[in-house]
Amino acid sequence: MLNSMSHTAVRVIDPPDDLSIAPDLPREQSDPVVVQAPAPTSRKGSARPMTTADVPAVARLFLKVFRNIDKPAGADLKDYFHALTLGSPSYSAATGTQIYQQQDGHISSALLSVPMRFIACGNVIPGRLLGVFMTNGDSAGAAQLNLGLRPKRASLSFCDSASPTSARSLLAIGGKTIRLQNLEWVRTFRPFGALVESLLPRFMRRIDPALATLAHAVDALLSRLRSDEGIEGGSELKVQEMSVPDFLVQAPRFIAHYAVRPLWSEDELGWLVGLAAQNTRLGAFTIRAVEDRSGAVIGCFVYFAAPGRTAHVLNILSLPDQEVGVLCAMFRHLERTGHARARGRAQPALMAGLGLQRRLVFRHRAFAMALTRVAEVNDAVVRGDIYVGGLAGEDWSRLMHDFG
């Protein structure tokens, strides 16, 4: 499988027993925030890896801290927590979620993480996506989890949802900012439809059919008045359906030119796809291939399809120097399939194609950070030669959008 990803020989480094962790302060989908319950405690305890028996308590802690709900978690949330924290094919106690348990047995703090192996400058090293960090006002527990911030061996901790506070903490101990990926782009196809979707949560539970019809008519009129398509390039490329098995084979090929990238073995990437597909609140999990005139697949994109609403784009993958065409073909497809707008994360390789688009804006989303003691990996991060985000990130997680 490694040979199909890259022509570079790789050496496997086994996960260390004392792999450190770096918490990312969690956020709601729109803005990263730091959340703590107001009443601190002083009970002593210890940090340890989370086990299956801890799932109900950690799920309840999540509801209390992020949803302001103080009751036992339902079966759906507990099942999702178990799959997310303990189900990865790369799971080990050293690379999994860490919790802080007080002397009385109460779990007061937790740092969720998802193990993901990485190819880093020719070596396979253990990586972990740092996700939800939560504490029920226990400063001692939060501090104990923070003690594991500093990396001790060849490993990579990363996140793409860091708040300014957690970003500063990571920078202080040698973490690096992954450039540009703090930005989210938003490309609007149907302005009135996008406005209706933005205002919808404030006034009603769902879009009234009559309102949807009106939005479509207004946007059609605006399109005629503009008298321009607004999407440059990509017209000679074809967008086709791509099956999950084909994606599992093709995706590693499209990121093989990055010095630091997810290993994306078939079992690990397939597991991520299966979890992402559960996030139906954002739409239908969809994969599309992009073909050139000869029928060769030069790229693909992964998104949550929601015609009439926003397409949430997770990954835009392509062969080197094909990014502009793949990006423009994607925008053309999303417009033709009836989406009001599309949104996704900025990456250095995408900036040329994004710059060609009209009615596209950027906003700060959250900091993307990497933490490692491997000098070659740090150098790759600084020059932007790293691939994270989307399925190698946190935007697919139901914890960002669901269980409210």
Side-chain angles (χ1 to χ4, degrees):
M1 176 59 68
L2 291 178
N3 289 335
S4 68
M5 298 180 196
S6 170
H7 297 297
T8 304
V10 296
R11 176 167 57 91
V12 178
I13 298 178
D14 294 328
D17 294 333
D18 60 348
L19 181 69
S20 64
I21 56 176
D24 166 42
L25 297 181
R27 56 174 176 79
E28 293 294 333
Q29 182 183 3
S30 56
D31 295 296
V33 295
V34 179
V35 183
Q36 288 187 339
T41 68
S42 58
R43 302 171 188 171
K44 295 181 180 180
S46 60
R48 63 172 175 83
M50 180 179 137
T51 67
T52 298
D54 301 319
V55 169
V58 176
R60 180 167 186 165
L61 181 62
F62 170 82
L63 287 178
K64 184 174 183 180
V65 173
F66 294 111
R67 301 296 185 261
N68 199 27
I69 300 172
D70 191 6
K71 68 176 184 180
D76 186 23
L77 177 57
K78 288 188 290 186
D79 289 346
Y80 189 76
F81 254 90
H82 187 276
L84 182 69
T85 58
L86 299 169
S88 169
S90 300
Y91 172 80
S92 71
T95 59
T97 293
Q98 302 290 309
I99 63 170
Y100 183 83
Q101 186 173 28
Q102 297 173 335
Q103 285 185 333
D104 61 2
H106 178 69
I107 296 174
S108 61
S109 302
L111 166 65
L112 270 62
S113 64
V114 180
M116 297 181 184
R117 289 175 294 168
F118 267 68
I119 297 178
C121 304
N123 298 318
V124 177
I125 65 174
R128 53 163 43 183
L129 167 66
L130 304 171
V132 173
F133 176 67
M134 49 192 169
T135 179
N136 189 20
D138 184 358
S139 57
Q144 186 70 20
L145 291 179
N146 281 332
L147 289 177
L149 278 170
R150 297 182 183 276
K152 297 180 178 66
R153 294 186 182 177
S155 62
L156 173 66
S157 298
F158 72 101
C159 61
D160 63 352
S161 59
S163 70
T165 300
S166 55
R168 285 193 294 268
S169 298
L170 290 172
L171 288 171
I173 60 168
K176 305 294 182 185
T177 301
I178 303 174
R179 59 191 180 95
L180 287 179
Q181 291 191 213
N182 65 309
L183 297 177
E184 177 185 62
W185 53 261
V186 180
R187 186 10 171 131
T188 301
F189 308 119
R190 293 170 171 79
F192 193 71
L195 177 63
V196 170
E197 183 186 15
S198 298
L199 297 177
L200 176 65
R202 302 181 185 181
F203 302 107
M204 61 187 76
R205 292 182 177 271
R206 61 183 181 86
I207 298 178
D208 184 86
L211 184 59
T213 301
L214 175 62
H216 181 77
V218 171
D219 282 324
L221 175 61
L222 291 174
S223 179
R224 288 195 296 270
L225 292 175
R226 288 197 305 262
S227 69
D228 68 315
E229 190 172 27
I231 298 177
E232 303 289 342
S235 59
E236 75 283 2
L237 303 176
K238 294 181 180 180
V239 175
Q240 307 283 5
E241 291 187 9
M242 175 177 271
S243 67
V244 171
D246 285 345
F247 176 72
L248 300 184
V249 172
Q250 296 280 3
R253 182 170 71 97
F254 295 137
I255 61 172
H257 53 288
Y258 288 91
V260 181
R261 61 192 186 274
L263 175 63
W264 274 356
S265 62
E266 186 172 335
D267 59 344
E268 194 168 286
L269 183 56
W271 176 77
L272 288 168
V273 167
L275 277 183
Q278 297 181 29
N279 198 356
T280 55
R281 289 194 64 173
L282 295 182
F285 184 82
T286 306
I287 308 172
R288 292 290 182 263
V290 179
E291 299 178 352
D292 64 13
R293 293 178 179 177
S294 69
V297 178
I298 63 170
C300 64
F301 53 96
V302 183
Y303 67 106
F304 292 102
R309 299 187 289 121
T310 297
H312 292 265
V313 179
L314 292 178
N315 294 94
I316 305 168
L317 308 174
S318 79
L319 296 175
D321 302 321
Q322 299 289 343
E323 294 88 355
V324 171
V326 170
L327 185 69
C328 294
M330 180 196 74
F331 282 134
R332 196 179 302 278
H333 173 78
L334 294 178
E335 181 181 42
R336 289 175 177 174
T337 51
H339 291 87
R341 60 187 172 184
R343 67 195 327 146
R345 288 295 189 101
Q347 292 177 319
L350 301 178
M351 294 307 291
L354 293 172
L356 294 174
Q357 304 305 313
R358 303 173 187 177
R359 296 182 292 281
L360 184 145
V361 298
F362 293 93
R363 68 166 189 169
H364 173 76
R365 174 72 177 275
F367 290 99
M369 307 289 298
L371 180 64
T372 181
R373 65 177 297 177
V374 182
E376 295 85 355
V377 177
N378 276 323
D379 291 342
V381 173
V382 170
R383 66 176 184 267
D385 198 4
I386 180 174
Y387 189 89
V388 297
L391 291 171
E394 201 175 7
D395 287 343
W396 52 267
S397 174
R398 290 178 67 190
L399 298 184
M400 298 294 102
H401 317 283
D402 207 345
F403 305 112

